[in-house]
Amino acid sequence: MSALAYLSSARYGKDAVRVFRVVREGSAHTVVEYNVKVLLEGNIDISYTKADNSVIVATDSIKNITYYLAKVSPHILVPERFAVHLGTHIVSKYAHIHKAFVDVEQLRWSRIVVGKDGKPQPHPHSFFRDGEEKRTVKVQIDGTAGKDKIQAHVSAGINDLLVLKSTGSSFTSFIRDEYTLLKEVDDRIFSTSVDLNYTFAPINISPPRDEKKLDIVIPALDQAKSGSVWDSTVLDRARTITLEVFAEDESASVQATLYKMAEKLIAENADIQTVSYALPNKHYIPVDMSYMGLDNLTPAKAEVFQPVAAPSGFITATVSRK
């Protein structure tokens, strides 16, 4: 044992577990695709300090547990519920594991709409990748106080939601000094790739009721409190709020629009405690055509733009419930 060093924290697990699940209800199928990461904490110090592997749940076993729960869990179609189920099972099953951190990234699959008898209808088992936007969930299952006093800390959101408006955005009255070259504009393109994360109030999880530690109590979808972690409509509501505020706000700045989004999201979801946005600017610069006698720089006449990837502004904030 070193007199100069000690193990102050340790966490390990399995990353990038790719899961695709088909739920079959007769001829109608529903699909989900997840990227899952599971990390564990607990009485695992000796695996680091004494090369003693007797306390390690192998990361390959963690992968297998993930696939097993993907098969048997009734909560597989809702990533918040699935992540809570997976983390609670692991913490409950292994006496020396006190915390599980489960991250789920869901890829978008939407039903293909086909014309049938002149009426467009969603196809029962055919899908298309509906953009690069991802649904995200982060769950911490904490059994530190005891296996009968498990708490879940849940956050969720969206990554890579690319949006653009061609007007309805300005940027004026900012600090001007010897470093300022940027011109004030009362009309500009506003585009960003939205990353949104919102956190719920912690919830208590009842211990599993069966020997295999699989049967946990989660409210039925139609009995979930509105705006709570169990409410499967929160994500759609958050996405709609984000898009509507972005579209309709006469934006004085990215900062001001961000705050309006977050404020409304808290107001409409009772158990959300904090809302965080990260909004990198996607710049579109009007092309100077004055050399050809064309005005493409006056905001009202700017029609041809050059997309510029970098450097770019990056605006973030967290808004919290009082």
Side-chain angles (χ1 to χ4, degrees):
M1 181 70 68
S2 171
L4 298 177
Y6 71 100
L7 185 69
S8 55
S9 65
R11 185 183 298 178
Y12 81 101
K14 201 71 164 181
D15 193 10
V17 181
R18 300 190 63 183
V19 177
F20 186 87
R21 172 67 197 274
V22 180
V23 176
R24 307 172 192 272
E25 296 178 303
S27 61
H29 295 175
T30 302
V31 301
V32 289
E33 183 172 354
Y34 295 150
N35 296 320
V36 182
K37 177 168 69 174
V38 182
L39 301 179
L40 307 181
E41 289 184 5
N43 296 334
I44 56 175
D45 296 24
I46 59 174
S47 66
Y48 292 85
T49 60
K50 297 184 181 299
D52 185 341
N53 294 337
S54 64
V55 295
I56 294 178
V57 180
T59 66
D60 189 67
S61 299
I62 296 171
K63 176 203 69 178
N64 294 336
I65 291 169
T66 302
Y67 285 132
Y68 179 71
L69 266 289
K71 174 69 173 179
V72 304
S73 175
H75 311 294
I76 184 63
L77 293 179
V78 182
E80 292 88 347
R81 291 167 173 254
F82 175 66
V84 169
H85 193 187
L86 176 57
T88 301
H89 171 64
I90 292 173
V91 169
S92 300
K93 178 175 176 61
Y94 299 102
H96 69 294
I97 298 298
H98 304 314
K99 290 184 179 181
F101 302 82
V102 182
D103 294 357
V104 178
E105 179 184 74
Q106 181 178 359
L107 308 183
R108 286 179 67 86
W109 288 106
S110 296
R111 293 188 186 277
I112 296 174
V113 176
V114 296
K116 192 172 184 180
D117 300 326
K119 297 179 181 179
Q121 297 180 13
H123 197 274
H125 57 255
S126 295
F127 307 84
F128 70 100
R129 172 58 54 79
D130 190 7
E132 295 307 310
E133 171 195 345
K134 302 169 188 68
R135 179 177 183 174
T136 60
V137 170
K138 294 180 180 292
V139 169
Q140 175 187 323
I141 300 298
D142 187 353
T144 305
K147 303 296 184 175
D148 59 342
K149 298 176 182 178
I150 293 174
Q151 270 204 333
H153 303 263
V154 180
S155 65
I158 300 167
N159 282 352
D160 303 323
L161 174 59
L162 186 60
V163 294
L164 180 149
K165 60 197 294 184
S166 55
T167 189
S169 175
S170 62
F171 190 53
T172 63
S173 303
F174 49 87
I175 293 172
R176 304 203 70 87
D177 58 23
E178 66 271 27
Y179 298 108
T180 307
L181 295 175
L182 186 67
K183 295 180 180 180
E184 296 189 355
V185 289
D186 58 9
D187 189 19
R188 63 174 182 169
I189 288 177
F190 178 6
S191 180
T192 185
S193 180
V194 177
D195 284 354
L196 162 64
N197 185 73
Y198 45 87
T199 62
F200 294 94
I203 55 174
N204 296 321
I205 303 295
S206 299
R209 299 172 294 188
D210 63 317
E211 185 177 348
K212 289 188 174 182
K213 309 299 183 184
L214 290 167
D215 186 12
I216 69 170
V217 178
I218 292 180
L221 287 170
D222 59 358
Q223 297 176 357
K225 174 187 172 185
S226 178
S228 74
V229 67
W230 303 129
D231 179 3
S232 63
T233 67
V234 170
L235 187 281
D236 288 340
R237 193 154 53 245
R239 189 175 189 271
T240 297
I241 287 170
T242 299
L243 294 175
E244 288 183 351
V245 172
F246 174 82
E248 296 176 357
D249 182 40
E250 289 295 324
S251 178
S253 66
V254 179
Q255 288 87 337
T257 300
L258 181 159
Y259 186 79
K260 291 177 182 177
M261 292 174 178
E263 190 177 38
K264 188 171 184 182
L265 191 46
I266 285 176
E268 296 190 11
N269 296 277
D271 284 358
I272 287 181
Q273 302 300 299
T274 67
V275 176
S276 299
Y277 278 101
L279 304 179
N281 280 327
K282 302 292 183 181
H283 293 295
Y284 291 79
I285 309 300
V287 177
D288 185 355
M289 296 183 174
S290 58
Y291 70 97
M292 298 181 65
L294 296 174
D295 181 4
N296 195 60
L297 297 181
T298 302
K301 296 183 178 181
E303 297 174 328
V304 178
F305 298 83
Q306 178 187 8
V308 176
S312 64
F314 191 81
I315 292 84
T316 69
T318 297
V319 178
S320 300
R321 185 179 298 277
K322 291 182 178 179

